[in-house]
Amino acid sequence: MKAADYLSEAKAIIGDRQEDYGHPTDTMQRTARLWEAYLEMPIAPHQVAVCMAMVKIARSMDSNKADNWIDAAGYVAIAAQTQEGDDLYV
C-alpha cells in the first residue's frame, strides 16, 4: 500500500467513527479529563491523540498489520486538528 492509501483509509475511518462516536475533538477532550482525574495532572486533548498514536506504533513492533499504521496516521491528524483548536467537523 502507498502512503496516500494509508492516509485515505485513515480519513475514511475518522469519518466513520465520527458518525458512531461524535466529533474526535470531543472524544479527546473527554478522555483528557478522565486521564487528568486519574493521573492528577493536566492533559491536553491533543496529547491524548498523540498517546493513542504511540499505542498504535507500539503495536506495530509486534505486528505488521496495516491498521496499526492507518490508525496511527488518523490519531496524528486528530492531534494536529485538536491542537490547532479546529472545531470543524472532519
Side-chain angles (χ1 to χ4, degrees), residues 3 5 8 16 24 26-27 30 38 40 50 74 84:
D5 297 329
S8 179
D16 290 346
D26 295 338
T27 300
R30 280 192 297 271
Y38 182 77
E40 298 180 340
V50 170
E84 290 175 359

Side-chain angles (χ1 to χ4, degrees), residues 5-38:
D5 297 329
Y6 284 94
L7 295 173
S8 179
E9 185 66 24
K11 181 179 178 182
I13 289 171
I14 291 170
D16 290 346
R17 295 294 184 271
Q18 183 170 304
E19 289 177 21
D20 294 336
Y21 303 112
H23 193 276
T25 300
D26 295 338
T27 300
M28 296 305 122
Q29 290 172 338
R30 280 192 297 271
T31 305
R33 300 299 79 81
L34 291 167
W35 289 6
E36 283 180 341
Y38 182 77

Side-chain angles (χ1 to χ4, degrees), residues 19-87:
E19 289 177 21
D20 294 336
Y21 303 112
H23 193 276
T25 300
D26 295 338
T27 300
M28 296 305 122
Q29 290 172 338
R30 280 192 297 271
T31 305
R33 300 299 79 81
L34 291 167
W35 289 6
E36 283 180 341
Y38 182 77
L39 297 171
E40 298 180 340
M41 60 184 287
I43 305 289
H46 78 277
Q47 291 175 310
V48 171
V50 170
C51 289
M52 296 303 295
M54 288 191 288
V55 168
K56 294 300 186 167
I57 292 167
R59 285 183 179 173
S60 74
M61 296 172 72
D62 293 320
S63 172
N64 195 29
K65 292 184 179 182
D67 69 298
N68 289 321
W69 299 113
I70 293 165
D71 291 348
Y75 280 121
V76 169
I78 291 168
Q81 175 179 314
T82 304
Q83 188 175 27
E84 290 175 359
D86 185 356
D87 62 354

